[in-house]
Structures are given as structure tokens and as C-alpha cells.
Amino acid sequence: MAKIRTGRVSEQIKKELSQLIQTEMKDPRIGFITVTGVDVTNDLSQAKVYLSVLGDDEQKAATLKGLEKASGFLRSELGKRVRLRHVPELIFKFDESIAYGSRIEKLLGEIGEREED
């Protein structure tokens, strides 16, 4: 039963954070971000927010710094939008699965080209 609740809470946080970052954030360091997932602990004290950022490593680092600076604002806005007694602490991490998947697809394409020769 608790897993169902944490799943619903994480999906709601993902939806609201995506909307907040796109519409409310005015920080120029924050580029094009996609919230790919949110993992919430069982006691709802922490939420790991997985992000996909378009750009190079320097832009990713600047985006992460901007989000960490704005985490208080994001938590307060989440508290207004999501009815929870305690809003979880937000921990931002990069989701490397998209880059990993594109790398594997590129390698498979190269293998396919070699077999055709």
C-alpha cells in the first residue's frame, strides 16, 4: 500500500516540477530541462529528481547550480500545489540513460554498417 502512495506522490511531484521549471523559473543558467523521473523515499522525506539537460557539461553544471539555488522556491511552490504535510527535500541528479541509449544506438549503427561492407 505504501508503494502505491509513493508512486502517486512521485508522479505528482514530477508533473508539478516540470511545470514549475518551465513556467515559473527565471534563472538564465537554467537551460532546456526535462524531468525524466522522481524517486521518493518511503517516509517522503527526500525526492531524487532525475533530469535530462540539453547542452554540454558546462551548461549541465550551471543548470544544476541554478536548480540547487532554487530548491527552496521549488519546495515552497510544491507545498502550495501538492497537499502533503511535509514537502520532501529535493535532490537533483542527471539522468544518463538517454545519453547511454543514444551511444548504444550509435554503436549498433556502426556494427550494421560494417556488416553491410
Side-chain angles (χ1 to χ4, degrees):
M1 191 88 145
K3 288 191 179 215
I4 295 171
R5 180 165 190 249
T6 57
R8 282 187 296 157
V9 168
S10 66
E11 282 301 313
Q12 188 67 27
I13 288 175
K14 176 183 167 187
K15 180 180 137 195
E16 295 295 339
L17 268 180
S18 296
Q19 197 171 35
L20 275 171
I21 290 171
Q22 288 179 357
T23 59
E24 304 291 326
M25 301 269 312
K26 305 286 191 240
D27 194 339
R29 294 177 289 188
I30 296 174
F32 186 73
I33 298 176
T34 305
V35 179
T36 57
V38 176
D39 285 339
V40 180
T41 56
N42 288 336
D43 61 352
L44 301 178
S45 64
Q46 291 182 337
K48 290 181 184 172
V49 181
Y50 294 99
L51 308 165
S52 174
V53 180
L54 197 64
D56 59 355
D57 290 338
E58 188 176 305
Q59 289 172 326
K60 288 181 181 182
T63 299
L64 191 62
K65 264 189 184 166
L67 284 173
E68 286 172 353
K69 284 280 190 187
S71 65
F73 167 75
L74 291 172
R75 279 184 74 187
S76 68
E77 288 296 315
L78 270 177
K80 293 174 188 172
R81 295 175 179 217
V82 180
R83 292 190 48 167
L84 290 173
R85 184 171 289 150
H86 299 287
V87 179
E89 175 190 352
L90 301 175
I91 301 168
F92 297 103
K93 296 188 174 223
F94 290 121
D95 187 5
E96 303 295 336
S97 64
I98 294 172
Y100 183 72
S102 65
R103 181 173 173 265
I104 288 181
E105 195 169 317
K106 180 183 155 202
L107 290 173
L108 288 173
E110 289 175 5
I111 291 172
E113 288 175 7
R114 286 183 194 162
E115 288 179 358
E116 289 175 2
D117 291 339

